[in-house]
Amino acid sequence: MKKALLKGLSVAMLIGLLIAACGGNAPAVSSGGDLTIGIAVEPETLDPGDAIYVQEQFLIMNLFDSLLATAPDGSLHAALATKWEPNAEYSEFTFNLREDVTFHDGTPFNAQAVKASFDHINSEAVLESGGKSLLVDHSYVETVVVDDYQVMVKFGASYPTFLRDAGRQWLSISSPAALEKFGQDYGRNPVGTGPFKFVQWDAQSQIVMERNLDYNWAPDFAAHQGPALVDKVIFRILPEAATRLTALETGETLIASEPPALDAISMSESGKATVQSYAQPGVPAILMINAAKAPTDNVNVRKAMILAINQVELAQTAFQSLGAPAYGVISPSTWGYSEQSASLYKYDLKESGRLLDEAGWTDADGDGAREKDGEKLSIDWPDNPAWSEAFNELLSGYLANAGFDVQYRSMDDGAAYEEMLAGNYNLTYMYWIRADPSPLRYLFHSEGINGAGSAWTNFVYADLDAALEDGDTQTDEAIRKQDYITAQNIIMENALVLPMFTINTSYLNALSVQGFTFDIEGYPFIYDISIAK
């Protein structure tokens, strides 16, 4: 789960102007060509029901469609469903479906496909995923096929945000025939109804898609209708930011995701490329602090860690003008953001030292390293550097200045996850892109401890659980907002996370790339991209 600062108009305003100028349904402009994109991390799966990571969502949104689509302004639009209606309790949702859609394997889209997709997500074949968290955490009961083109999705409790979630990639609809045919290998053989078809996956090298020539059901806010404009999309897996930059400079790729900030800004200012950046909503870049493992089981130690970080300097150094500091567990661009919780800590190295002294961690010999009973103030941080290369040394340096001995252990995602399951960590990197604070339940409710969710702080507090539970089911928006403000305050008062910066996703584009826009969560909308000749 693993969101920018632009001159002039915001990205959302630019997208709105583009849509208005094109009338929302302008005829497709012939483009063709291959769009090659350099990405940092290889997906683990392209099964939307089994996916959870950011890099997976970016690819999945091009292969699949969901029941609904969310415009950049947050409004809901028809996608695979043409009409939708919740009951009064927001526990049952009826969808009328399109009757002219086929999957990439030629099988028809219908109500059975919706049921098969949601039942797959809810099955034992999926152990943990974004889709599973959306369904299971909201007491998913069943999907009822009313007729071929009407379906009802039922939950055992109120689910006030389900219509928004029905437009997310994690609840995309898969071909039932492909789910049955490929079984556990479906994640490497995805079949959807989206604007692009899966072609091949060369491990640790590239993933290739080609446009779906039958596609004619784009949402009405898209800049064109009909098939996508480029012939093929090739995602090159290039873990190092410098390598992605070089690939763009040499023409090997046309888009480089998350480029080195200084180089990207320099190339943009010189007119050699363009930078597109977007401040994504949800949980910003944070380090979740394990409250069940020494020395971070002491609240003063946790507070001292937060106070030791200069977020302004960190964001500026790591990302230049493409980053912004974060001080809370929710990004300022997210509905329900609590300014109060984000004002509890500001960089104060002296106060950090006082709290560590109070906790018994002292610098007895004056060398800057703190000890207690002969033990160093060691912090264990297992991590995949593909996620944190821009800031992990900076962050470790700030903590070292406060007397911490940071043991950064470089490993891949799978190995890091095993260490977390075993409890062998003090810090773990996390962010969660979503235009709503609801991921807080998955990350901080005690039901998610020990790998049942992603509650890696291992903090148990009844008032926090109660606020998160009510926020998940409350249909009164004012009460729901207060629930999440309460939760944010508890999380920050107990110093359960170390906030760093808002997730400002950035892409460096060749000048030939036209029509680049973001969706509401900051993923590029490849469907409308063309390549200038």
Side-chain angles (χ1 to χ4, degrees):
M1 283 75 49
K2 297 237 195 200
K3 302 176 350 349
L5 301 179
L6 292 173
K7 295 180 180 178
L9 295 174
S10 69
V11 172
M13 292 171 67
L14 288 170
I15 294 172
L17 289 175
L18 174 62
I19 294 169
C22 296
N25 290 308
V29 177
S30 177
S31 168
D34 295 349
L35 180 67
T36 306
I37 305 172
I39 59 174
V41 181
E42 182 173 23
E44 291 190 5
T45 181
L46 292 179
D47 173 359
D50 197 29
I52 196 166
Y53 295 115
V54 168
Q55 70 273 17
E56 293 163 349
Q57 293 187 66
F58 181 18
L59 277 70
I60 285 168
M61 68 183 286
N62 296 290
L63 296 168
F64 293 86
D65 295 306
S66 301
L67 290 174
L68 302 178
T70 307
D73 65 2
S75 58
L76 287 176
H77 294 253
L80 292 179
T82 58
K83 295 181 181 179
W84 51 95
E85 184 67 34
N87 66 355
E89 293 76 27
Y90 281 80
S91 60
E92 296 181 358
F93 303 83
T94 301
F95 298 91
N96 291 351
L97 309 176
R98 291 188 69 116
E99 301 182 19
D100 59 346
V101 175
T102 55
F103 287 99
H104 300 153
D105 59 5
T107 58
F109 163 75
N110 53 29
Q112 287 288 352
V114 179
K115 176 176 173 57
S117 297
F118 288 179
D119 286 353
H120 164 65
I121 295 171
N122 194 49
S123 71
E124 294 182 359
V126 175
L127 299 179
E128 179 187 19
S129 73
K132 192 141 196 167
S133 72
L134 295 177
L135 297 185
V136 173
D137 290 355
H138 294 92
S139 303
Y140 173 75
V141 175
E142 62 177 335
T143 298
V144 177
V145 174
V146 180
D147 59 39
D148 283 350
Y149 295 102
Q150 189 177 77
V151 67
M152 180 183 292
V153 185
K154 296 184 176 183
F155 296 90
S158 295
Y159 188 173
T161 62
F162 178 65
L163 291 177
R164 300 177 201 169
D165 290 339
R168 307 192 76 227
Q169 296 92 329
W170 289 343
L171 296 183
S172 298
I173 308 303
S174 291
S175 161
L179 284 171
E180 182 175 354
K181 176 181 178 180
F182 294 109
Q184 64 181 6
D185 295 324
Y186 177 66
R188 295 270 172 159
N189 299 276
V191 180
T193 63
F196 293 93
K197 299 179 180 182
F198 173 78
V199 175
Q200 69 187 69
W201 186 338
D202 302 319
Q204 300 180 19
S205 176
Q206 65 180 9
I207 296 172
V208 182
M209 306 175 185
E210 65 183 11
R211 67 174 166 180
N212 176 11
L213 293 175
D214 296 326
Y215 192 73
N216 196 32
W217 43 87
D220 58 9
F221 56 82
H224 81 281
Q225 292 293 303
L229 302 182
V230 297
D231 294 323
K232 188 179 293 184
V233 183
I234 302 164
F235 292 89
R236 290 287 315 280
I237 301 161
L238 305 170
E240 295 182 359
T243 304
R244 295 194 298 278
L245 179 70
T246 299
L248 184 128
E249 290 176 317
T250 61
E252 183 182 347
T253 64
L254 294 179
I255 297 177
S257 68
E258 308 306 329
L262 274 175
D263 297 292
I265 293 169
S266 175
M267 288 185 68
S268 177
E269 290 177 346
S270 68
K272 296 178 181 179
T274 62
V275 176
Q276 301 284 347
S277 193
Y278 188 94
Q280 296 176 283
V283 177
I286 60 173
L287 289 170
M288 300 182 75
I289 307 175
N290 187 353
K293 176 179 170 62
T296 51
D297 55 347
N298 184 297
V299 67
N300 277 355
V301 171
R302 300 197 298 269
K303 289 180 177 180
M305 295 177 75
I306 302 174
L307 291 166
I309 308 304
N310 186 335
Q311 282 93 343
V312 173
E313 187 178 78
L314 174 66
Q316 174 65 26
T317 303
F319 305 107
Q320 302 300 308
S321 61
L322 302 180
Y327 301 99
V329 70
I330 285 292
S331 162
S333 62
T334 309
W335 177 86
Y337 170 71
S338 167
E339 291 187 7
Q340 177 185 350
S341 69
S343 66
L344 293 178
Y345 308 92
K346 288 295 185 289
Y347 175 59
D348 189 336
L349 197 56
K350 183 177 180 180
E351 177 63 9
S352 174
R354 188 193 69 78
L355 289 172
L356 289 174
D357 286 337
E358 188 176 302
W361 294 97
T362 61
D363 179 15
D365 54 13
D367 64 354
R370 291 179 175 269
E371 297 182 354
K372 181 179 181 179
D373 300 329
E375 296 289 332
K376 289 184 178 180
L377 182 56
S378 292
I379 300 298
D380 187 17
W381 181 9
D383 183 62
N384 182 347
W387 295 111
S388 63
E389 64 173 317
F391 66 86
N392 58 44
E393 291 186 6
L394 286 166
L395 194 287
S396 297
Y398 283 124
L399 292 177
N401 288 339
F404 291 89
D405 173 39
V406 181
Q407 297 297 312
Y408 181 87
R409 294 191 285 141
S410 175
M411 57 189 69
D412 62 26
D413 286 328
Y417 183 70
E418 291 300 319
E419 290 295 272
M420 290 154 65
L421 286 177
N424 299 328
Y425 67 97
N426 293 109
L427 298 176
T428 186
Y429 179 43
M430 178 66 67
Y431 67 89
W432 194 302
I433 299 167
R434 196 168 182 188
D436 187 89
S438 51
L440 292 181
R441 175 167 183 169
Y442 196 69
L443 295 177
F444 295 99
H445 193 291
S446 62
E447 67 194 359
I449 288 175
N450 298 322
S454 290
W456 302 114
T457 64
N458 294 302
F459 182 77
V460 180
Y461 187 51
D463 288 352
L464 177 58
D465 286 351
L468 294 173
E469 289 167 14
D470 194 60
D472 242 10
T473 58
Q474 180 59 246
T475 58
D476 185 310
E477 286 284 86
I479 297 175
R480 184 169 182 265
K481 183 175 183 179
Q482 185 55 54
D483 285 332
Y484 286 117
I485 288 174
T486 297
Q488 291 171 72
N489 290 341
I490 293 172
I491 291 166
M492 295 310 300
E493 286 167 358
N494 288 278
L496 301 180
V497 302
L498 194 164
M500 294 183 291
F501 49 88
T502 60
I503 297 298
N504 298 294
T505 186
S506 300
Y507 292 82
L508 186 64
N509 299 343
L511 297 178
S512 59
V513 174
Q514 306 293 309
F516 186 102
T517 57
F518 291 101
D519 75 356
I520 190 174
E521 292 188 338
Y523 297 105
F525 197 48
I526 294 178
Y527 170 73
D528 278 333
I529 289 180
S530 62
I531 303 171
K533 304 298 184 181

